[in-house]
Every structure is written in C-alpha cells, then in structure tokens.
Amino acid sequence: MTPEKLQSIAFKWLDTFNNKELEKLLSLYDDDAVHFSPKLKISKPETNGFVSGKQELRKWWLDAFERLPSLNYKVKSLTANGDRVFMEYTRTVIGEEDLLVAEVLDIRNDVIVASRVYHG
C-alpha cells in the first residue's frame, strides 16, 4: 500500500473520530480488529488494555464520546510506510490537561486490523 493511501486512511480516522461519527470510524476497521489503550487498561483492568472486534470498539468509543463531548485530537505528525501509520497527536478535553499521544495503525487490505495507543 502506498504511503499516500495509508495517510488517507489515517486522516479519515482522525476526521471521523473528531466529528464523533462512530459508524464511519468503525467502517475503517476490520471486523476482528484489535485495539490497545492505556486508558482502557485503567478503566477496565480485566481487559488488560485490549478490545477486539467492532462491537467492543463501538462500546469503548461510544462511552468516550458520551463522557467527554469535547474530546478532540490535533495532529502533530503522521508517518506512513509499509502497512503501518504512526500518528502523533495532542488529546484535548475541556477541563483536563492536554496529553501527547502516539498511535500506531496496522492496515491491511484498506482496513485497520490493529491499533495501539501510547501516552507521552
């Protein structure tokens, strides 16, 4: 996959996330995609930070969108190569300190098969 195609998927991801378009966001994922987040590990320790599949992703993001209506990601950098995109962005929520985040999207056949979040 070309870096341009990978970047296109990443920018769609960021746009749909920031616009809280949950179904469009989920359409970017494989049905069996795996997601890791340190915030998930804290809020649901039994998951060890992982969710699998669109249904679990839907629950996770719906909860975040409802709890944090001002949640927004501002891109700092984006690098794409092979089948992977590395995104660095600032997580902003009104009333909370900004958080620097790195996220890796693994993409195959034009869909995200795995994503991992890291906090700085």
Side-chain angles (χ1 to χ4, degrees), residues 29-98:
Y29 281 80
D30 182 77
D31 289 342
D32 299 317
V34 177
H35 177 72
F36 171 81
S37 169
K39 292 219 178 263
L40 181 60
K41 190 173 185 177
I42 292 167
S43 70
K44 297 183 184 276
E46 69 278 7
T47 68
N48 205 27
F50 290 91
V51 291
S52 297
K54 286 186 179 182
Q55 284 300 93
E56 293 301 312
L57 285 168
R58 179 180 284 107
K59 289 180 200 174
W60 173 239
W61 286 322
L62 185 59
D63 176 65
F65 294 157
E66 289 174 351
R67 280 183 306 103
L68 307 166
S70 65
L71 178 62
N72 189 271
Y73 296 157
K74 296 178 183 169
V75 178
K76 295 181 70 66
S77 68
L78 196 142
T79 304
N81 58 49
D83 60 359
R84 190 166 287 142
V85 178
F86 298 88
M87 302 186 297
E88 184 179 47
Y89 52 83
T90 303
R91 176 191 181 271
T92 62
V93 174
I94 294 172
E96 293 185 14
E97 192 170 323
D98 289 354

Side-chain angles (χ1 to χ4, degrees), residues 2-13:
T2 68
E4 294 79 17
K5 177 65 176 174
L6 292 167
Q7 288 177 342
S8 170
I9 292 169
F11 282 119
K12 283 181 193 172
W13 186 95

